[in-house]
Amino acid sequence: MAVERTFSILKPDATARSLTGEINAVIEGAGLKIVAQKRIRMSQAQAEGFYGVHKERPFFKDLVKFMTSGPVVVQVLEGENAVAKYREIMGATNPYNAAPGTIRRRYASNIEANTVHGSDSLENAKTEIAFFFKDDEIVG
Ligand code: IDP
Ligand code: MG
Protein backbone atom coordinates (compact mmCIF):
# COMPACT_ATOMS: atom_id res chain seq x y z
CA MET A 1 0.00 0.00 0.00
CA ALA A 2 1.05 3.54 -0.60
CA VAL A 3 0.21 6.96 0.75
CA GLU A 4 -2.21 8.55 -1.71
CA ARG A 5 -4.26 11.69 -2.02
CA THR A 6 -7.90 11.75 -3.00
CA PHE A 7 -10.37 14.54 -3.68
CA SER A 8 -13.53 14.97 -1.60
CA ILE A 9 -16.55 17.25 -1.69
CA LEU A 10 -18.99 17.73 1.15
CA LYS A 11 -22.03 18.50 -1.01
CA PRO A 12 -24.71 21.21 -0.50
CA ASP A 13 -26.99 18.84 1.45
CA ALA A 14 -24.14 18.40 3.97
CA THR A 15 -23.45 22.12 4.44
CA ALA A 16 -27.21 22.89 4.61
CA ARG A 17 -27.55 20.58 7.63
CA SER A 18 -24.26 21.71 9.26
CA LEU A 19 -22.85 18.20 8.97
CA THR A 20 -19.32 19.18 7.91
CA GLY A 21 -17.79 18.71 11.37
CA GLU A 22 -19.50 15.37 11.88
CA ILE A 23 -18.41 14.07 8.47
CA ASN A 24 -14.85 15.32 9.00
CA ALA A 25 -14.77 13.35 12.25
CA VAL A 26 -15.73 10.21 10.31
CA ILE A 27 -13.02 10.93 7.72
CA GLU A 28 -10.36 11.50 10.38
CA GLY A 29 -11.59 8.53 12.39
CA ALA A 30 -10.90 6.34 9.36
CA GLY A 31 -7.26 7.46 9.37
CA LEU A 32 -7.48 9.97 6.52
CA LYS A 33 -5.82 13.36 7.02
CA ILE A 34 -7.55 16.48 5.69
CA VAL A 35 -4.52 18.18 4.10
CA ALA A 36 -6.50 20.91 2.30
CA GLN A 37 -10.01 22.23 2.71
CA LYS A 38 -12.05 25.23 1.62
CA ARG A 39 -15.69 26.21 1.60
CA ILE A 40 -16.75 27.53 -1.81
CA ARG A 41 -19.80 28.24 -3.88
CA MET A 42 -19.32 26.23 -7.08
CA SER A 43 -20.06 28.17 -10.27
CA GLN A 44 -22.17 26.60 -12.99
CA ALA A 45 -19.07 26.39 -15.22
CA GLN A 46 -17.10 24.64 -12.47
CA ALA A 47 -19.89 22.13 -11.80
CA GLU A 48 -20.35 21.42 -15.52
CA GLY A 49 -16.61 20.99 -15.97
CA PHE A 50 -16.14 18.85 -12.88
CA TYR A 51 -19.00 16.49 -13.82
CA GLY A 52 -18.21 16.66 -17.57
CA VAL A 53 -17.99 12.85 -17.84
CA HIS A 54 -21.71 12.71 -16.99
CA LYS A 55 -22.88 15.35 -19.48
CA GLU A 56 -24.88 12.88 -21.60
CA ARG A 57 -26.63 11.37 -18.57
CA PRO A 58 -30.28 12.28 -17.94
CA PHE A 59 -29.51 13.58 -14.44
CA PHE A 60 -26.71 15.96 -15.55
CA LYS A 61 -28.70 19.23 -15.51
CA ASP A 62 -30.25 18.45 -12.13
CA LEU A 63 -26.86 17.46 -10.74
CA VAL A 64 -25.29 20.77 -11.80
CA LYS A 65 -28.27 22.62 -10.29
CA PHE A 66 -27.88 20.71 -7.03
CA MET A 67 -24.10 21.21 -6.81
CA THR A 68 -24.50 24.98 -7.29
CA SER A 69 -27.50 25.29 -4.95
CA GLY A 70 -25.44 26.04 -1.85
CA PRO A 71 -21.92 26.05 -0.44
CA VAL A 72 -19.73 22.98 -0.69
CA VAL A 73 -16.52 22.05 1.12
CA VAL A 74 -13.79 20.82 -1.23
CA GLN A 75 -11.04 18.77 0.38
CA VAL A 76 -7.86 16.84 -0.25
CA LEU A 77 -7.55 13.70 1.88
CA GLU A 78 -4.26 11.88 2.40
CA GLY A 79 -3.48 8.44 3.74
CA GLU A 80 -2.68 4.81 2.98
CA ASN A 81 -4.83 3.68 0.09
CA ALA A 82 -6.81 6.95 0.35
CA VAL A 83 -8.77 6.61 -2.90
CA ALA A 84 -10.25 3.19 -2.13
CA LYS A 85 -10.54 3.85 1.61
CA TYR A 86 -12.62 6.99 1.10
CA ARG A 87 -14.88 5.25 -1.46
CA GLU A 88 -15.38 2.51 1.15
CA ILE A 89 -16.38 4.84 4.00
CA MET A 90 -18.58 6.94 1.64
CA GLY A 91 -20.69 3.95 0.61
CA ALA A 92 -22.58 3.31 -2.63
CA THR A 93 -23.86 6.17 -4.82
CA ASN A 94 -27.47 5.34 -3.91
CA PRO A 95 -27.75 5.62 -0.11
CA TYR A 96 -30.36 2.84 -0.11
CA ASN A 97 -27.66 0.47 -1.38
CA ALA A 98 -24.90 1.87 0.87
CA ALA A 99 -23.54 -0.38 3.62
CA PRO A 100 -24.55 0.35 7.23
CA GLY A 101 -22.22 2.81 8.93
CA THR A 102 -21.10 4.49 5.69
CA ILE A 103 -21.40 8.27 5.29
CA ARG A 104 -24.03 8.02 2.57
CA ARG A 105 -26.09 5.46 4.47
CA ARG A 106 -26.00 7.61 7.60
CA TYR A 107 -26.54 11.05 6.09
CA ALA A 108 -27.63 10.99 2.44
CA SER A 109 -31.15 11.91 1.41
CA ASN A 110 -31.29 10.29 -2.04
CA ILE A 111 -29.17 9.20 -5.02
CA GLU A 112 -28.54 12.82 -6.07
CA ALA A 113 -28.21 14.58 -2.73
CA ASN A 114 -25.80 11.94 -1.49
CA THR A 115 -23.71 14.13 0.83
CA VAL A 116 -20.18 13.42 -0.42
CA HIS A 117 -18.04 13.03 -3.52
CA GLY A 118 -14.84 10.99 -3.63
CA SER A 119 -12.51 10.32 -6.56
CA ASP A 120 -12.90 6.89 -8.16
CA SER A 121 -9.26 6.41 -9.22
CA LEU A 122 -5.82 7.78 -8.43
CA GLU A 123 -5.64 9.33 -11.88
CA ASN A 124 -8.98 11.11 -11.49
CA ALA A 125 -7.98 12.19 -7.98
CA LYS A 126 -4.99 14.07 -9.41
CA THR A 127 -7.13 15.80 -12.04
CA GLU A 128 -9.88 16.67 -9.55
CA ILE A 129 -7.43 18.02 -6.95
CA ALA A 130 -5.82 20.22 -9.61
CA PHE A 131 -9.27 21.48 -10.62
CA PHE A 132 -9.80 23.11 -7.20
CA PHE A 133 -6.43 23.48 -5.46
CA LYS A 134 -3.04 25.00 -6.14
CA ASP A 135 -0.07 22.96 -4.88
CA ASP A 136 0.75 25.44 -2.10
CA GLU A 137 -2.79 25.17 -0.68
CA ILE A 138 -2.14 21.52 0.21
CA VAL A 139 -0.23 21.05 3.46
CA GLY A 140 0.56 17.41 4.20
P1 IDP B 1 -20.29 8.53 -7.37
O1 IDP B 1 -20.46 9.92 -6.79
O2 IDP B 1 -20.64 7.46 -6.38
O3 IDP B 1 -18.92 8.31 -7.99
P2 IDP B 1 -21.34 8.79 -10.08
O4 IDP B 1 -21.98 7.68 -10.86
O5 IDP B 1 -19.97 9.23 -10.49
O6 IDP B 1 -21.38 8.37 -8.54
O7 IDP B 1 -22.33 10.03 -10.16
C1 IDP B 1 -21.91 11.32 -9.78
C2 IDP B 1 -23.00 11.96 -8.96
O8 IDP B 1 -24.15 12.15 -9.79
C3 IDP B 1 -23.53 11.12 -7.79
O9 IDP B 1 -22.73 11.21 -6.63
C4 IDP B 1 -24.90 11.71 -7.58
O10 IDP B 1 -24.84 12.96 -6.88
C5 IDP B 1 -25.34 11.98 -9.01
N1 IDP B 1 -26.08 10.83 -9.59
C6 IDP B 1 -25.59 9.63 -9.97
N2 IDP B 1 -26.54 8.83 -10.46
C7 IDP B 1 -27.69 9.56 -10.39
C8 IDP B 1 -29.06 9.27 -10.75
O11 IDP B 1 -29.40 8.20 -11.23
N3 IDP B 1 -29.97 10.28 -10.49
C9 IDP B 1 -29.62 11.49 -9.96
N4 IDP B 1 -28.35 11.78 -9.62
C10 IDP B 1 -27.40 10.84 -9.83
MG1 MG C 1 -18.07 9.28 -9.64
Side-chain angles (χ1 to χ4, degrees):
M1 284 206 296
V3 174
E4 297 173 349
R5 285 178 175 173
T6 192
F7 177 71
S8 162
I9 308 176
L10 311 185
K11 294 185 179 184
D13 65 300
T15 60
R17 290 176 290 161
S18 296
L19 288 171
T20 62
E22 210 165 311
I23 295 167
N24 278 351
V26 174
I27 290 169
E28 292 181 335
L32 293 168
K33 266 198 168 68
I34 301 164
V35 294
Q37 169 169 267
K38 58 189 171 189
R39 184 175 172 106
I40 62 165
R41 186 74 183 245
M42 231 186 247
S43 68
Q44 178 156 336
Q46 276 178 316
E48 286 174 352
F50 182 76
Y51 279 120
V53 292
H54 295 305
K55 67 174 178 293
E56 306 303 333
R57 308 281 288 277
F59 58 81
F60 179 69
K61 260 185 112 166
D62 271 356
L63 177 61
V64 169
K65 203 168 162 192
F66 167 61
M67 291 302 291
T68 56
S69 68
V72 299
V73 176
V74 291
Q75 304 176 311
V76 180
L77 310 181
E78 184 179 272
E80 288 285 336
N81 227 6
V83 173
K85 182 176 278 179
Y86 192 43
R87 293 290 297 192
E88 188 187 322
I89 67 167
M90 282 167 50
T93 308
N94 187 338
Y96 295 100
N97 300 330
T102 59
I103 294 169
R104 284 168 165 171
R105 177 66 171 264
R106 286 167 71 177
Y107 303 115
S109 311
N110 55 60
I111 193 169
E112 179 181 82
N114 60 1
T115 313
V116 282
H117 165 86
S119 308
D120 61 7
S121 70
L122 195 53
E123 193 191 344
N124 286 339
K126 289 196 168 88
T127 310
E128 291 175 1
I129 289 168
F131 199 88
F132 287 101
F133 289 97
K134 296 190 175 72
D135 279 348
D136 66 2
E137 292 179 302
I138 305 166
V139 183

